[in-house]
Amino acid sequence: MVAHFVALFFTGFIVYTAAPGSSLFSWHPTLMAIAFLLLMFEGLLVFSPISSLVPRQSRATKVTLHWMLQVTSLTCAIGGFAAIYYNKEINNKEHFTSWHGLIGMSAVGYSCMQMLGGSVLKYPTLASILRIKLKLADLKIVHATSGLVSFILVCVSFMLAMFSNWFCKNVTGTTWYACLGCISCILFIIMNQITSTYLPKVKSRKRVAH
């Protein structure tokens, strides 16, 4: 339950600090926090044997919940991306001039690609249409590993955002370090879940292959 509390608390803090509706820019941190720190995080935890909020549900139900949360997450992320893009346009500012902007754009783009990969798993007939020759079990491992890469990009982008003028102006001192700790905690939880779940499967498949 600690994982869910950290994600909910930190997302709430970002939303409170951003004050959505106070400006066009305010929707950028608001929607990005909801998209990645809450929805994507919870979507990944659905499959956790320890932290899932629905541990007794069937695999099919968990897949559906995962899919719904990730689609909603990506929708919010695109909204957050559009808000900051349009905000810079109307203020005649250049785009993607910082590491936060570049990695943030990469995180959103990678998430879109990850969504397409998940669609192949949800609808296996797409694999044959796209002429993907990997077995379903291998595709699951690739999708999970790719998901970890996506979430790492997200967390790195949030860490870089903590050095932005807006964040440093509104969050200082111990609170700033607490926010860094929240992001690190969230990232560690997902890294531990995916590696502990899929790494043994990779090793097992290698032994079978040999």
Side-chain angles (χ1 to χ4, degrees):
M1 293 305 296
V2 173
H4 304 287
F5 174 78
V6 170
L8 184 61
F9 174 80
F10 187 46
T11 301
F13 175 78
I14 296 297
V15 172
Y16 173 79
T17 304
S22 59
S23 65
L24 177 59
F25 171 83
S26 68
W27 290 107
H28 173 63
T30 296
L31 290 173
M32 288 301 190
I34 293 173
F36 294 124
L37 299 177
L38 185 62
L39 296 176
M40 177 180 279
F41 180 71
E42 290 295 340
L44 294 172
L45 282 187
V46 163
F47 298 110
S48 173
I50 300 174
S51 304
S52 177
L53 291 174
V54 288
R56 297 182 180 180
Q57 294 297 322
S58 66
R59 172 76 182 181
T61 299
K62 291 180 180 180
V63 168
T64 300
L65 285 173
H66 172 76
W67 178 80
M68 292 173 63
L69 286 168
Q70 300 300 59
V71 168
T72 309
S73 167
L74 187 56
T75 302
C76 288
I78 292 173
F81 180 85
I84 191 62
Y85 190 92
Y86 185 60
N87 184 68
K88 289 198 172 189
E89 279 288 309
I90 62 177
N91 287 289
N92 296 315
K93 293 184 178 181
E94 294 183 359
H95 300 282
F96 315 119
T97 57
S98 66
W99 282 109
H100 166 63
L102 290 170
I103 294 180
M105 176 183 64
S106 300
V108 174
Y110 198 97
S111 295
C112 291
M113 294 175 60
Q114 180 70 1
M115 183 70 67
L116 292 175
S119 298
V120 173
L121 284 174
K122 185 170 178 59
Y123 305 103
T125 52
L126 288 175
S128 59
I129 295 174
L130 297 173
R131 298 182 180 180
I132 298 174
K133 297 181 180 180
L134 288 175
K135 295 179 180 179
L136 187 60
D138 292 328
L139 282 174
K140 288 181 179 179
I141 294 174
V142 170
H143 182 64
T145 305
S146 181
L148 176 57
V149 173
S150 177
F151 200 73
I152 289 174
L153 281 174
V154 165
C155 289
V156 170
S157 178
F158 270 95
M159 288 178 179
L160 291 170
M162 292 179 60
F163 294 93
S164 66
N165 293 332
W166 173 79
F167 198 86
C168 290
K169 178 182 178 181
N170 289 282
V171 182
T172 59
T174 306
T175 307
W176 190 93
Y177 289 99
C179 290
L180 181 62
C182 286
I183 297 174
S184 301
C185 178
I186 287 171
L187 177 57
F188 175 77
I189 290 169
I190 295 301
M191 289 178 66
N192 180 65
Q193 175 193 324
I194 293 177
T195 53
S196 61
T197 301
Y198 288 94
L199 190 57
K201 293 181 180 180
V202 172
K203 292 180 177 179
S204 176
R205 293 184 71 82
K206 284 183 177 181
R207 284 196 296 267
V208 172
H210 291 303

